[in-house]
Amino acid sequence: MSAHVIADDAEALAVAASLAEEFRAGASARDTERRLPRAELDRLSASGLLAVTVPADHGGADVSALTLAEIFRLLGTADGSLAQIPQSHFAYVNVIRRQGTQEQRKFFFAELLAGRRFGNAQSEAGGKHVQDIRTRLESRPDGSYVLTGVKHYSTGALFADWIPVLARAEDDRLHVAYVPSDAPGLSVIDDWDGLGQRTTASGTVHLDGVAVPGDRVLPHHLTFEGPQLHGAVAQLLHSAIDAGIAAGALAEAAEFVRTKSRPWFESGVEAAAEDPLLIQRFGELDLEVRASQALLREAARSVDAARADLTDDTAAEASLAVAAAKVQAARAAVEVSSALFEVSGTRSALHSLNLHRHWRDARTHTLHDPTRWKIQHLGRFVLNGTRPPRHGLL
């Protein structure tokens, strides 16, 4: 596999905008038919976008968090499923940046620059809570490991070259094993049947005695010792996806009203787009979208500032700024995608038009982690100066 190498932030944004327009054209049909976006992901890999966070000293563009968030927002405006697939990819690139040895960085950054994709085998079902990880990483006398477990919600795994697996070693600490997708004993099952984000193929990964060389395992537990931005960056990308879904839904609603909706007979206007009540409602929805984008940009700048000067205080500020962005983006995505029907009229509910994909994507994606806990952490900091906890969901 070969891929273009993006030079800087400006090029990354231009490429993302171009691909978003390309992907938008087929988004509804892919969702309706549940046609998995393999060709689109190959285009994404070949474009070089999946390597934009590779450090400059390894040949990458090392784009800012502000640019990375905008890349995801642009993709989210086009296709809420497609935008979700590489989210874990970048989260596990960050693990290598922070915890990888020089040799591990050299190897994996070269893989990324060549267009290779990371998947995700993180979450598990049936445990006490989301961080109750039971997949085991057992060491062998020769320094290698054996992986055993079952993972769910494994977004990106079906399309990946490498699947990062979150597991516990004998000391019960969390590690990440980077496993090639064709490794013996590893199988990826396309059993995702969510009402939204239908083409993410977020199915199940089975690990049956998978052999892993020692140099493909990283100590993820160290990520959360001391100030860190792992959770903030991961959540920033989730926020960007929600903000993108909201903007995409608003744009499609406006186009529908301009071209297809009929005015309510009491309005006395010739076109639905001239109805003052609809104009008022679109203004309200635009405020929600603008607020989500503004908070997203503020959060991304906080992450960039913390990266330049990482302390307990700057890391906390970044996490809180991202939390605020995530709450607003989630609200905007659900509200705007639901209001699409309110402003567009009865015809917009036709299954054949598939306008409901925006709401289904928003409703599904915003379930990833509860915004109520983000509001809790914001309140605790405002009232008591309590810094947010160090974990991967904040």
Side-chain angles (χ1 to χ4, degrees):
M1 182 183 293
S2 62
H4 173 68
V5 177
I6 288 175
D8 53 30
D9 292 64
E11 184 183 5
L13 290 173
V15 170
S18 176
L19 285 179
E21 285 305 307
E22 179 183 326
F23 296 158
R24 181 174 287 109
S28 180
R30 285 193 296 273
D31 177 86
T32 298
E33 302 164 13
R34 199 177 180 270
R35 188 172 71 244
L36 301 183
R38 295 182 185 276
E40 288 76 16
L41 285 169
D42 286 344
R43 290 276 294 120
L44 197 61
S45 289
S47 76
L49 277 183
L50 296 183
V52 293
T53 58
V54 170
D57 58 0
H58 286 268
D62 200 8
V63 302
S64 66
L66 183 63
T67 293
L68 188 62
E70 181 62 6
I71 289 170
F72 272 79
R73 192 194 71 82
L74 287 167
L75 294 175
T77 66
D79 186 335
S81 284
L82 189 54
Q84 175 64 29
I85 293 171
Q87 189 273 339
S88 291
H89 169 95
F90 284 98
Y92 284 105
V93 173
N94 278 347
V95 174
I96 294 170
R97 286 184 61 135
R98 185 172 172 90
Q99 300 303 337
T101 65
Q102 185 59 32
E103 286 304 310
Q104 287 170 330
R105 292 173 186 162
K106 180 179 178 181
F107 174 80
F108 280 115
F109 291 155
E111 288 284 281
L112 293 167
L113 290 170
R116 304 287 193 272
R117 295 192 289 266
F118 289 166
N120 146 53
Q122 178 170 295
S123 295
E124 299 180 10
K128 294 179 180 179
H129 48 69
V130 71
Q131 293 194 340
D132 182 15
I133 303 298
R134 289 158 295 161
T135 296
R136 307 307 300 185
L137 186 68
E138 298 179 11
S139 61
R140 299 197 294 194
D142 64 359
S144 65
Y145 296 87
V146 175
L147 266 175
T148 303
V150 179
K151 297 289 188 175
H152 297 80
Y153 312 117
S154 303
T155 304
L158 192 67
F159 313 108
D161 300 290
W162 292 89
I163 301 178
V165 180
L166 194 62
R168 295 193 184 276
E170 284 95 335
D171 59 6
D172 213 37
R173 291 181 173 182
L174 286 176
H175 292 68
V176 178
Y178 289 73
V179 183
S181 58
D182 60 355
L186 184 153
S187 59
V188 182
I189 311 300
D190 178 22
D191 56 2
W192 170 245
D193 64 349
L195 66 88
Q197 295 194 309
R198 298 183 67 235
T199 61
T200 59
S202 302
T204 304
V205 171
H206 292 271
L207 304 148
D208 185 13
V210 178
V212 184
D215 61 358
R216 297 293 179 261
V217 176
L218 281 73
H220 191 38
H221 60 93
L222 296 179
T223 300
F224 306 103
E225 294 184 6
Q228 52 83 32
L229 297 172
H230 179 81
V233 172
Q235 288 293 303
L236 182 71
L237 302 187
H238 282 305
S239 305
I241 294 165
D242 287 339
I245 291 171
L250 184 62
E252 188 144 11
E255 177 65 15
F256 192 94
V257 169
R258 283 193 298 265
T259 61
K260 296 182 178 65
S261 293
R262 297 184 298 179
W264 183 244
F265 72 94
E266 293 179 282
S267 68
V269 297
E270 294 296 318
E274 298 172 358
D275 182 337
L277 297 181
L278 279 182
I279 290 171
Q280 175 73 19
R281 186 63 175 130
F282 269 96
E284 293 168 350
L285 297 175
D286 186 52
L287 281 175
E288 293 297 317
V289 171
R290 286 176 181 266
S292 70
Q293 293 173 355
L295 285 173
L296 181 68
R297 289 191 294 269
E298 179 185 338
R301 292 189 183 104
S302 292
V303 170
D304 283 328
R307 184 174 288 158
D309 179 24
L310 188 59
T311 66
D312 285 333
D313 287 336
T314 61
E317 174 54 35
S319 287
L320 292 167
V322 172
K326 182 66 167 66
V327 171
Q328 174 59 30
R331 288 175 174 174
V334 173
E335 180 180 355
V336 175
S337 60
S338 177
L340 182 155
F341 304 100
E342 168 198 337
V343 297
S344 300
T346 305
R347 186 182 175 192
S348 65
L350 292 177
H351 184 70
S352 59
L353 295 177
N354 198 26
L355 295 178
H356 49 71
R357 73 184 184 280
H358 299 290
W359 181 85
R360 289 187 289 102
D361 285 347
R363 185 64 282 174
T364 300
H365 183 251
T366 55
L367 297 176
H368 183 273
D369 53 280
T371 56
R372 60 185 178 271
W373 274 99
K374 299 182 189 307
I375 295 171
Q376 276 283 311
H377 293 306
L378 288 166
R380 289 173 182 177
F381 184 79
V382 170
L383 278 177
N384 303 314
T386 304
R387 294 191 185 109
R390 294 169 177 162
H391 57 61
L393 296 172
L394 195 68

